[in-house]
Amino acid sequence: MIEADVVVIGSGAAGLAAALAAADGGAEVVVLEASSRWGGSTAVSGGQVWAPANHRMLEAGFADSTEEALTYCRTAAPGRDDTLVETFVRTVPEVVRFLEERSPIRFLPVPSYPDTFVELPGGKTARHVEAAPQDLGDLGDLSELVWPAPFFAPVLTNQEVMEHNLFAGGPPPMELITQRMSAGVATMGAGLIVGLLHGCRKAGVHLIRDCRVTELIRDEDGRVTGVRTDNPRRTVRADRGVVIASGGFEHDPTLRSQLLSGPVTHPVTPPIQHGDGLRMAGQVGAALAYTGEYWSWPACQAPGRTWPDAEATPQPQLTLPERTLPHVLWVNTAGGRFVNESSHNCAAAFAELDPNTHRPRNLPAWAIGDAQFRAKYSVAGIPADTPAPDWLITAGSLAELAGLLDIEPKALAENITRFNTMAEAGRDDDFQRGRTRYEHAFGDPSAAHPNLGPVSEPPFFAVPVYPSAVGTKGGPRTDERARVLDWSDTPIPGLYAAGNAAAAVFGPGTFAGGLTVASALTWGWIAGRDLTAAR
């Protein structure tokens, strides 16, 4: 048996923030990670942290206040628990400062990144921060330390990616990339995890990999006092409590089919989120909430691209150029558009049901583009202006493409003709694509209209767009101290939850990039602090 004051299940942003906060409070902390790699979903994310009124944005000259942030949250995501919303907004700036003080992380503002609905009351630009490039030091090779990012080597910051217009075909800064790779640094989500690992090690946190927790241990009074793992000889005692930070359940087919309110067929997170935390919390009487919700995104899947796990699980990647840039649109099997492709919550349209068949109205879905798109932008990971691989569906005419996709040719032609007319005018009267600053931030600033351009020049291409997620939102309900609640709203003694393992504070959609990471860090920190607070 291992004995500790605090046991943390999971090593993503939530778990490591909880561990660092508890260790800083004087606790002996053990982190148990089920896989052989650290960081969970955080490590493959962009690593942005949505932190209203943080000191870095204020130092850079961007005005903000807690009151404005609360107005924005209440307008963009009404109906949630206002106590938890206010706790998050007031706490996240303190978390940003704490991580800079207790780890090598130095946060940088991301002035190019607006709130999703920045035009709403309280909306702002530059609320996001990200970790400056982090030195790996003696942590080892990044490719074995964390799960590999599905886009490119994490050596540039989000701000640098946006400044160089890389999503829209801008030339990469090769000298800087080479310099960073030679220096052994990491950015984005991987960099955030590297910085947290350094901080935890310095604070004396005991980090254990390849140790999956299977059960929570309780005493005769119902207090959670430790955990059992998949190693029959390894039980870990927790004198003060346990923090569940093991992520969601998007990779568990049974839980997905039983709980989610919409289809998720291609999650982009590492294949380790199997709902362990949800099941364990339920077994000790935790109240569960928002189990039908998820952080929805669209995804593409290049054939043969897999995660480095024993099952060679397919590794999709988020769809960004294929929805935000000119000369592309989405259609369903009826040949019609069905959503503003550039909107942050566009994947919510995949959950719409046909009232006649009770099947998803907009699946399968296709991103259709033309030669203009291929000349400038990447598609499904294929670099611009390179030969199309055999698996990319291409055709010399829209009629031919419709036949390959089993879409009625006349319907496809009519809908694309209408789209082209609107795109040339720079005004999408059907779905209002390209009317927000969020959309412009991910468009092509060199184009006549950042998010709109006609699909008119052959050859044409099509790629499937799949319903995906960067995590689920359902889990045990928690209070403002991150304590897990039972069905009578009473805290379960010794049990805390944070990140995607807990019921989400915000929803059902998202209103800011980086909200998942920010929530994970904040509630993990709150849990760690509460476990060591004098009562």
Side-chain angles (χ1 to χ4, degrees):
M1 175 186 287
I2 299 174
E3 296 191 6
D5 296 318
V6 174
V7 171
V8 178
I9 308 170
S11 68
L16 294 182
L20 186 56
D24 184 65
E28 184 177 351
V29 183
V30 172
V31 173
L32 303 177
E33 168 55 50
S35 79
S36 61
R37 299 168 186 267
W38 303 110
S41 301
T42 305
V44 301
S45 73
Q48 308 99 320
V49 181
W50 190 71
N54 70 80
H55 68 288
R56 290 302 181 191
M57 72 174 292
L58 300 177
E59 289 169 357
F62 296 95
D64 197 10
S65 68
T66 298
E67 290 68 30
E68 288 174 298
L70 284 171
T71 296
Y72 178 67
C73 290
R74 290 164 178 159
T75 305
R80 295 306 234 211
D81 186 323
D82 199 63
T83 299
L84 299 184
V85 171
E86 185 166 348
T87 298
F88 167 82
V89 170
R90 295 190 183 281
T91 305
V92 66
E94 186 177 356
V95 175
V96 170
R97 284 189 180 275
F98 169 83
L99 294 179
E100 288 193 333
E101 293 168 355
R102 296 294 187 269
S103 78
I105 294 171
R106 178 177 177 271
F107 284 107
L108 305 172
V110 190
S112 297
Y113 209 135
D115 293 346
T116 302
F117 306 110
V118 65
E119 292 82 5
L120 290 179
K124 294 281 184 178
T125 294
R127 279 174 166 154
H128 296 81
V129 292
E130 62 179 324
Q134 295 294 300
D135 189 340
L136 285 166
D138 62 352
L139 290 176
D141 191 318
L142 187 66
S143 65
E144 297 180 356
L145 186 72
V146 299
W147 293 91
F151 31 92
F152 40 72
V155 293
L156 297 177
T157 65
N158 289 278
Q159 182 63 23
E160 289 165 346
V161 168
M162 299 180 86
E163 286 177 348
H164 290 279
N165 199 29
L166 296 188
F167 284 124
M174 293 310 301
E175 183 176 346
L176 178 60
I177 292 172
T178 301
Q179 174 189 340
R180 295 260 177 88
M181 294 185 76
S182 299
V185 300
T187 59
M188 299 192 173
L192 179 61
I193 291 299
V194 166
L196 289 169
L197 286 172
H198 281 308
C200 285
R201 291 175 70 193
K202 184 176 181 180
V205 174
H206 189 29
L207 300 162
I208 302 175
R209 286 187 283 190
D210 292 312
C211 188
R212 185 174 183 177
V213 176
T214 58
E215 184 182 356
L216 299 173
I217 300 172
R218 292 181 291 172
D219 63 18
E220 60 275 8
D221 297 321
R223 180 180 185 84
V224 175
T225 58
V227 300
R228 292 189 179 89
T229 73
D230 56 4
N231 183 332
R233 293 172 296 178
R234 178 163 285 172
T235 298
V236 187
R237 178 175 173 175
D239 289 337
R240 300 191 189 183
V242 173
V243 181
I244 300 175
S246 52
F249 57 87
E250 61 269 22
H251 281 280
D252 187 282
T254 300
L255 291 178
R256 284 205 315 256
S257 65
Q258 293 177 350
L259 299 178
L260 293 186
S261 60
V264 174
T265 59
H266 289 68
V268 296
T269 54
I272 52 176
Q273 285 80 9
H274 299 293
D276 292 351
L278 182 79
R279 289 187 173 92
M280 288 188 289
Q283 288 167 358
V284 297
L288 306 179
Y290 309 125
T291 54
E293 295 182 7
Y294 49 98
W295 300 98
S296 64
W297 264 87
C300 293
Q301 173 66 62
R305 187 181 183 99
T306 62
W307 291 100
D309 62 335
E311 293 75 24
T313 303
Q315 184 187 27
Q317 63 185 77
L318 294 178
T319 299
L320 193 62
E322 305 87 351
R323 68 181 184 87
T324 64
L325 297 177
H327 311 297
V328 69
L329 78 165
W330 290 4
V331 300
N332 54 24
T333 53
R337 292 178 68 212
F338 54 90
V339 72
N340 172 1
E341 300 93 337
S342 297
S343 62
H344 201 167
N345 292 288
C346 60
F350 294 137
E352 295 177 15
L353 296 181
D354 185 320
N356 296 314
T357 65
H358 291 177
R359 295 183 180 277
R361 183 198 299 271
N362 300 314
L363 290 173
W366 306 89
I368 294 178
D370 68 357
Q372 299 173 90
F373 187 100
R374 288 284 289 119
K376 292 189 66 176
Y377 315 125
S378 67
V379 56
I382 309 165
D385 203 23
T386 59
D390 293 340
W391 56 264
L392 183 66
I393 301 169
T394 58
S397 69
L398 289 175
E400 180 187 358
L401 188 68
L404 294 172
L405 303 180
D406 196 24
I407 295 174
E408 207 282 313
K410 182 180 178 182
L412 181 64
E414 289 176 350
N415 282 298
I416 290 184
T417 296
R418 175 171 176 77
F419 174 80
N420 289 348
T421 300
M422 294 188 295
E424 288 168 349
R427 182 180 177 88
D428 177 9
D429 294 323
D430 291 343
F431 295 100
Q432 292 73 53
R433 175 170 161 184
R435 293 192 182 180
T436 69
R437 276 183 276 167
Y438 169 85
E439 293 172 72
H440 291 176
F442 293 97
D444 185 350
S446 69
H449 308 289
N451 309 104
L452 290 169
V455 179
S456 56
E457 295 188 10
F460 301 96
F461 70 84
V463 292
V465 182
Y466 299 108
S468 181
V470 295
T472 51
K473 289 186 170 187
R477 290 183 55 241
T478 54
D479 65 8
E480 69 276 9
R481 290 162 55 185
R483 298 178 300 178
V484 172
L485 303 175
D486 65 17
W487 290 101
S488 63
D489 284 347
T490 301
I492 297 174
L495 188 60
Y496 294 72
N500 287 348
V505 172
F506 298 110
T510 188
F511 56 80
L515 194 55
T516 50
V517 177
S519 296
L521 290 172
T522 301
W523 295 105
W525 181 87
I526 288 172
R529 275 296 172 94
D530 198 74
L531 278 160
T532 56
R535 299 293 179 194

